[in-house]
Each structure stands twice: as C-alpha cells, then as structure tokens.
Amino acid sequence: MTKRDAPAPVLERQPDRIALGTPAEGGGCHADAGVLRAATDKAQGSELLARYAADYPVGPHDQPQSMCPAFGSLRVGLRMRRTATVLSGSACCVYGLTFTSHFYGARRTVGYVPFNSETLVTGKLFEDIKEAVEGLADPALYDAIVVTNLCVPTASGVPLRLLKKQINGVRIIGIDVPGFGIPTHAEAKDVLAGAMLAYARTEAEQGPVAAPRVKADRPTVTLLSEMFPADPVGIGMLLEPLGLAAGPVVPTREWRELYAALDCAAVGAIHPFYSASMREFEHAGRPIVGSAPVGVEGTAAWLDAIGAACGVAQRLIDNAKDRFLPAIGGALAANPINGRITVTGYEGSELLVARLLIESGADVPYVGTACPATVAGAADRAWLEARGVRVQFRASLEQDLAAVAEYAPDLAIGTTPVVQYAKQRAIPALYFTNLISARPLMGMAGAGSLAQVINAAMANKPRFDAMRAFFDGVGTGAQAGVWEDTPQDRPQFKKKYAALNEAARKAAEAVGS
C-alpha cells in the first residue's frame, strides 16, 4: 500500500483529549484547537493551516467569538446561480449551518455527505463524497459544485484535493473551512471567493471564457466585499466622471462574473480582509486600493487612490471631487449625529461605519472588529487613530463589553451579546448586522443614511431609564423565575450553607493530604 493509499488518520474522543485513532461521531467538535491543528498537519501536511495562518492571523486572541466560520463560505455558494453546495462534517454542525443559512434567506438545497467511525477510518467517506459529486454534476443544472470539509473531516485528512477538477463540464471546488483555522465567518467568505477566483483565473489563462451578461464600455473597478445593494450603484456614480465604471462585486452571484471581476482596471478592497482573493488579483496584475468612499474625507481619498491606480488624469479626479464632495458634506451637515457611540462587529466594515459616524459629528471612542489588521485597512485605521479612536482588531467579546462599560456611550452598536449587555444597563443599542450593514454607506447615498436610525435609538434613553426604574430588581436574584407570591430572600440560609460547604471542602482536602 502506498502512502497515498493509506487510510487517513482520524480522531477519537478520549477523556481529556482527542488522539489519532478510531473516531467517535462528532467527537472532534469539542477538541482543543491546538490538538485539531496538530492532527490536521499530520493528516494533510502543514501547508493548509500555514496558509490560513498567514491569510487570517488570529493575533492576541486564539478565537474571536462568532458563528461557525463555515457559514460565510456556505452563504457565498448559496447566493450563486447554478452552483451546488455539499457539506462534509458532523451532523450537528451541518444542521446548524443549514438552519442559519435558510434563516438568512437561502432558497437552495444543501447537500450533505454523512460519516461515521467506519467510513472515516477506512477512507470510505472520501469515496462517498466522490460518488455524491459525480451524481450531482449535471451541466444542465450547474456550473460548479462546492464541497466543504468542516472540522472533523479536515482534521482527519479527507483529501478533497483528489477530487476531479471537472466532471461532465461542471467545475468542482473543494475547500476546507475548519473552525480552528478560519477565525470568523467573514473570512470564510474569502476562502471560497479566493478558490473560485483561482480556478477562473486558470481558465482565462488557458483560453476564451464566457462573456459577462452585461459588459461595461469603460474600464471597471471590481468591488471586493458584500455590501448593501445600493452601494455599488453609488460607487458607479462616483467613478463615472473618471471614465471608469463599477465592475462586479466579489463574492459574485454567478460564475461568469468571476472572469469580468479579474478583467478590471483596479480592485477596490472595500472590506480589507479578503486576503486570498487579493492574492489572485495580484497574480492577475491588478492594483488593489483599500478603504472606501465614505464621508467627505473618505470619498476624496478613495477617488485620488482609484484615479492614481487607473492612470486617470488629475483634472478628472478633481472634477469628480468638486462635483460630489460638497453634496456629501451638505448631506452630513443636514443629518448630524450628536452623541458618544461605540462600534463593534464581525462584518469587516466596522472601521468604515466609524468613519462615517465621526464625519456626521459623533464621538466614537472605540471600534472593535473580529477581523484582523491588514494592509488594505491601514488607511482607515490611521484615520481613526489620528482622531483619538481606539481600534481593536480581533476584538474579543470581553473587550467589546469592557469598552461599553468604560466609555458609557449614548449608543452601543454591536453583536447580539453586546446589544444585550448595553440594554441591561439602560444604554440604547443597535445590532450591527441587521440595522447598520443593511443601509448604504458609500458616496451620496451613505451620507446621512445612519442618522435617522441612530438618533431615534439614542432618543430612547429616557424610556430605558423609566423602564429600568420601574422593573428594578424584578427577575433577578431571589425574584428570578415565575411565581405568584413575591419571593423573600433568605441571606441567613446562604450564610449557613456557605459555611457548611467550606467546612466540607476543608475536610475533603484533609483526607486527600
């Protein structure tokens, strides 16, 4: 038996650790991340996780608190036309991912290849995946099939790289998205987007490819991020005086858009964490511009940078700024935001939102993002820090909560637990993903777009105070739960049993020694 033919090492749940051997179904999900990384390196070679560590460095925190990262790549595949999605992982993980995806609006079937100890140990799982993909590869239905290894198949070395690159004319994209290698679901979007760009770039280098449905008559700027649907339109308006057009948004909605995305004059890294995707654009020789056209200063700097990257004459850049900046400034002035706001989230646009808030008049002392510091985001970081903002990359929930406690903002923008923490303290709060990301941020449409919802939320402070005073103490301590007669606290019982418990502890220690 050759080394390639040997069964892939797999994971077994033991009392205090995960070791190579016969696996228990789902056992690997709860292992220490370091143990899973070591198992993956042994099973697959160190290249996979070394590349992820370079693309998505974790910084001081081993794992930011976010939903399963595979949700990000799953979301990208499910939003693409003529693209099938197949997951390989523990059943509980697949159930949670598909539930979350459909909750967020996916209307696609998610394929699932289950496994057990036997199929994982013997290598039958890979054969099952291969059989499933071959049965699914119908060119009348699909341009591509995305197969994703979750944690246990990744750590066990299920070799998706051995799948055929194409079956019946349908492209096969195999990716590993383990929770111990990809820190956030936002970055997992880049794992799949980067893999698709790499495949499409190779196709384009080998010969003619399908033309996009709509081809711009001017050089284009590809937009790298998921953003509010009106933002690409607004960016296109800003680019028009420069003789440029807004190109495809990556992650794309269909395969042929990948070719158009690669065939651009420059790339606007609106969200700066798409490391693998940016690497593919660099291989294609495309310049990359960070930040985004938010507010007056952000729009001016972005037009300068895009113009320089695309070789646009300075007079055209100045004309565009003269045309748009006064209107953006006027819209910001007409919709002021007065108050202290902390901004936290895991989408990757937290720094852009903070910039827009500051230009709207808000005091923003803290920005926390679960995403890493990157070269593409350096301009936003420098702009914010020059204005006294503390920017925390790879922020933990504990850091975000500490910022709310430290700065006592008039409004906290953040993830669900941050919003909950703030509201428990009678601080108005808004969920970043649903209430902030769901609004335009760029150019004219972005100017003033946040003011209404933010000012309305801050105006609710008196209602929070009144409700907190009215319900003070209800549902806490001895009064938690459901009851008819108001419970009475019994501190004497607490004191008695605390003393008895301490005596028992000391007695146990004495016996042990």
Side-chain angles (χ1 to χ4, degrees):
M1 178 181 289
T2 66
K3 186 174 181 180
R4 173 173 289 186
D5 294 331
V10 289
L11 301 177
E12 177 185 28
R13 182 68 179 171
Q14 295 186 357
D16 297 309
R17 62 189 176 89
I18 295 249
L20 295 175
T22 304
E25 169 72 17
C29 300
H30 309 292
D32 177 80
V35 174
L36 288 171
R37 292 189 188 101
T40 303
D41 286 344
K42 186 172 182 179
Q44 302 214 44
S46 61
E47 189 274 334
L48 174 68
L49 293 186
R51 184 176 75 249
Y52 285 169
D55 285 347
Y56 319 112
V58 296
H61 300 285
D62 180 63
Q63 187 78 23
Q65 297 99 337
S66 172
M67 67 182 72
C68 171
F71 169 69
S73 56
L74 179 61
R75 172 184 169 118
V76 167
L78 290 176
R79 293 178 68 196
M80 290 186 68
R81 300 184 188 93
R82 293 178 51 82
T83 299
T85 297
V86 177
L87 295 177
S88 172
S90 298
C92 55
C93 301
V94 174
Y95 171 79
L97 286 168
T98 54
F99 176 85
T100 306
S101 295
H102 294 304
F103 176 78
Y104 273 83
R107 294 182 176 85
R108 302 279 189 82
T109 298
V110 178
Y112 171 44
V113 181
F115 67 87
N116 56 31
S117 300
E118 179 184 354
T119 60
L120 200 57
V121 168
T122 61
K124 180 67 165 52
L125 174 57
F126 176 73
E127 294 299 324
D128 290 343
I129 293 172
K130 180 172 174 289
E131 181 180 350
V133 170
E134 289 172 347
L136 197 59
D138 182 351
L141 299 175
Y142 302 117
D143 294 326
I145 298 172
V146 177
V147 186
T148 303
N149 268 346
L150 304 179
C151 290
V152 173
T154 292
S156 301
V158 175
L160 297 183
R161 61 185 176 275
L162 298 185
L163 292 172
K164 293 180 180 179
K165 300 302 179 186
Q166 193 175 102
I167 300 174
N168 300 327
V170 178
R171 304 162 185 84
I172 310 300
I173 312 291
I175 57 174
D176 292 271
V177 188
F180 53 86
I182 310 297
T184 67
H185 80 280
E187 291 158 292
K189 298 174 187 175
D190 178 51
V191 175
L192 181 52
M196 288 185 164
L197 283 168
Y199 198 120
R201 183 172 60 83
T202 300
E203 288 182 313
E205 290 171 348
Q206 292 174 346
V209 293
R213 294 177 187 273
V214 179
K215 184 171 177 60
D217 57 359
R218 290 165 287 161
T220 60
V221 176
T222 293
L223 304 176
L224 192 54
S225 84
E226 278 193 317
M227 61 181 117
F228 187 74
D231 277 332
V233 177
I235 290 174
M237 293 174 61
L238 296 173
L239 293 173
E240 189 272 334
L242 275 59
L244 303 172
V249 174
V250 176
T252 62
R253 292 304 185 99
E254 64 177 333
W255 188 271
R256 65 173 64 189
E257 288 181 357
L258 293 164
Y259 308 131
L262 290 162
D263 185 24
C264 64
V267 177
I270 307 297
H271 290 178
F273 57 82
Y274 282 86
S275 299
S277 299
M278 285 189 273
R279 182 165 56 246
E280 294 306 318
F281 285 113
E282 288 170 348
H283 286 327
R286 310 306 181 202
I288 296 170
V289 175
S291 193
V294 292
V296 175
E297 294 189 33
T299 301
W302 193 79
L303 288 173
D304 282 333
I306 287 290
C310 297
V312 177
Q314 188 60 47
R315 64 176 178 80
L316 295 179
I317 300 172
D318 293 338
N319 288 341
K321 290 194 289 187
D322 291 342
R323 176 176 168 182
F324 294 113
L325 299 187
I328 293 173
L332 293 173
N335 298 276
I337 298 174
N338 298 310
R340 173 174 288 186
I341 302 173
T342 55
V343 179
T344 62
Y346 46 58
E347 300 294 331
S349 57
E350 291 77 25
L351 275 63
L352 299 178
V353 169
R355 289 191 64 156
L356 190 56
L357 291 174
I358 290 172
E359 287 209 35
S360 298
D363 170 23
V364 181
Y366 174 84
V367 178
T369 176
C371 294
T374 64
V375 173
D380 296 322
R381 177 181 190 172
W383 191 93
L384 290 169
E385 291 181 341
R387 286 153 183 80
V389 182
R390 176 152 62 96
V391 180
Q392 178 63 58
F393 294 99
R394 286 289 187 237
S396 67
L397 174 60
E398 292 76 15
Q399 287 174 317
D400 291 342
L401 298 182
V404 174
E406 177 183 353
Y407 294 110
D410 300 304
L411 176 71
I413 296 173
T415 56
T416 300
V418 172
V419 169
Q420 179 184 24
Y421 177 86
K423 288 184 176 180
Q424 286 175 336
R425 285 151 185 78
I427 298 173
L430 295 173
Y431 180 38
F432 189 101
T433 301
N434 285 6
L435 296 172
I436 303 301
S437 286
R439 282 174 168 73
L441 299 176
M442 318 298 169
M444 283 293 301
S449 68
L450 299 180
Q452 183 177 3
V453 65
I454 285 176
N455 288 330
M458 289 194 293
N460 279 329
K461 173 65 173 171
R463 296 175 63 190
F464 273 94
D465 291 335
M467 291 175 64
R468 190 180 192 190
F470 182 80
F471 290 104
D472 186 40
V474 175
T476 62
Q479 296 188 22
V482 179
W483 36 262
E484 293 182 2
D485 299 323
T486 304
Q488 300 297 313
D489 197 6
R490 309 288 183 178
Q492 67 274 22
F493 291 166
K494 295 179 184 177
K495 183 177 180 180
K496 174 184 176 180
Y497 287 107
L500 290 174
N501 188 51
E502 178 63 13
R505 185 189 65 80
K506 290 181 178 179
E509 285 183 352
V511 171
S513 61

